[in-house]
Amino acid sequence: MTETRRYVGTDVPHDSARGHVTGESMYIDDLPSLPGELVVDFFWSPYAHARIRGIDLTEARRVPGVVALYTHEDLAHNELGPIIHDEPLLPVDVCTFRGQPIVVIAAENAAAVRAAKQAMRIDLEELPPILTIDDAVAAKSFIGETRYIRRGDAETALAAAEHVLEGVFVNGGQDHFYLESQAALVYPGEHDALIVLSSTQHPTEVQEVVAHLLGIDMSQVVVQTKRMGGAFGGKEAQATHPAVMAALVARTTRRPARIVYDKDTDMHVTGKRHAFQNRYRVGFTRTGEITAYKVDLYSDGGAYADLSPAVMARAMTHAENAYFIPDIEIRGTVCRTNMPPNTAFRGFGGPQGVATMENVLEEIAAYLKRDPLDVRKANCYGVETRNTTPYHQVVENNTLPRLFTELEERCEYRERAAAVRAFNAQSPTHLKGLALTAVKFGISFNTKFLNQANALVNVYLDGSVQVSTGATEMGQGVNTKIRQLVADELRVPLQRVVVMVTSTEKNNNTSATAASSGADLNGGAAVDAARRIRARMDEVERKQGRPVSWEHLVKLAYQERVPLGERGFYATPRLDWDWTSGRGTPFLYFTMGTGCSEVLIDRFTGELKVLRSDVLMDIGRPINPGIDRGQLIGAFVQGMGWVTTEDLRYTPGGELLSHSPTTYKIPNINDLPEAFSMNWIEQDNPINVGGSKAVGEPPLLTAISIWCAVKHALGFVSNGDLARLRLPATNEEILMRLTEYAKRGAAVA
Ligand code: HPA
Ligand code: MOS
């Protein structure tokens, strides 16, 4: 195969770059109102757990402007859920989380919606909720079975270990904080048809759930996604709920119906990144080599399964991160609580497994009084040996040792580590900390059948080209990458190729744009289609006996009745995974990276400042370096929010207190590391499209270096304590730890 790379590998601007800045890009809420359009909203449970004693809508129905009100009785079916269908859209007799919709409202305007909510008589009897992982474990309230990945005999190896440490690592959740809230606009077509415009990562899931709950065929439902204003996993499974509500209204009233959550509602009612609570025991030698690791992962799944079992599976396959551990046992249990069902969020369990492991490495180093980077490097996966994961997949083309060494040199780790020690020895007001951590992120959906995609490429008589795939554009630039791939494959100018709106009418049975694999899968399918068209064109050209322009070739092919359209398909090769044995090859390859962060802490207020972060990744040969740089920076900053400031606070009754930007703190421009570098090594990945690697999620995990740097800093004043702290390391959390150490220091003195 001769490779022609004209556009692949270059900084082609994002296809919406201009539109996003000028405001030309349309989101669901921006679309002009349609004639007769209704406002859709819902009344949601104010309690985390409650019995429904009665629903009286008589008065609400009389409110002027109210067109219709719906309960579970108005649905043909009431179960949804991406893995198992255990979630009712509208509860029958018991509400199981705060924010669960009970009544769907269709009205002429927002004022009528508000009045209708006031006029509803919904008689709820509050029941005792389960709101924490501890409560769920005590009540044995779980979703599915505990699962295992095991190699060797961790218990025996722990008993024989020179040193053993144990502890519990606790991380909080994270709100997706996409700028565009959940939204859908549905209008009825002829007969039973519904056209659903949805802000979703997963048009096929929306199509399937709308059809099922309304009792119509999937063929009657067309779902279109032009773009999303961010998604981050939050629209992988939970865009279905608003879409079905609007579809129910559109189908029964035969009028267009639009639902757009406001920000506070969105934060209250949707699921988040999973909080975890992980108990670990680790055995190691006096030089810090890990000999045994036993980790028991518990996540807060919320009220229904949603994607929690798959998220837990990814946490489990990332629990050892970048490190070879001969004897290991990983257990994973999803807790059922009365929280909104927690869901996919960039990293999908990976960050929770990896942060637990990086915390352990920090503790081993502190305990042995060795440099944490030396401990990490001593345990890093090898290139030829020590390169098999606990689930028996071999880590091929391992660049981790190189990434560790190169970043160590580039960021002058040794000099700065010495400077941090010197600073802490003399500063009465501040503390510094430094940490260099790694990420090894498995690329592929951890559910084998999801690793497929199809694409449609149409060449028109003037030589212009349309490409349609199941990939959804959420700002990540997948459409631009597909455009580059197709232009190169057809050998046409980029301007001739347009990527069309994502629609279930053109691409059927697609997977969510998720697992960082949107460009891998859909790009692979688009290349397959384009390659077969180009092969036929080459044949037409050969018959001419001389080079022919693309435009002329298209006309010749048409006259020769050679088809000028093609449907491509891609299925990720080599995958094989078996839960019963906890063994196999769940991933096609790994995206790898290292991150080093230095932090400054005010010893009197706990205020945290990130002084410097350097990231070095192996992302293969990027299809679009500029877009990938954006992904790296965005992911790191989002990870920084998770590990430092984004604190979900609840009342004892389970009411979210931090439900708006005034109380929920995502990073802003002033929070960025004062010095910040993002780089990657030159490294081909021939097994994937264009030699590239997936970049959406992996770099988020390099921000764990910030949390480890905080732990490192606190270790200087913890009087021999392992400086245990929660994630996120908020200023408040840091201040509480400092206060605790100061009190203990005073007691000792
Ligand atoms: N990532 C995202 N979504 C998924 C996955 C995954 O690994 N598995 C199933 N759904
Ligand atoms: Mo994602 S968290 O794989 O949408």
Side-chain angles (χ1 to χ4, degrees), residues 201 233 236 344-346 348 514-515 697:
Q201 291 170 253
E236 185 174 336
F345 193 138
R346 202 174 194 172
F348 204 79
E697 296 166 291

Side-chain angles (χ1 to χ4, degrees), residues 485-496:
L485 288 164
V486 169
D488 275 0
E489 208 60 51
L490 293 175
R491 302 201 298 276
V492 300
L494 187 77
Q495 293 67 31
R496 306 246 66 183

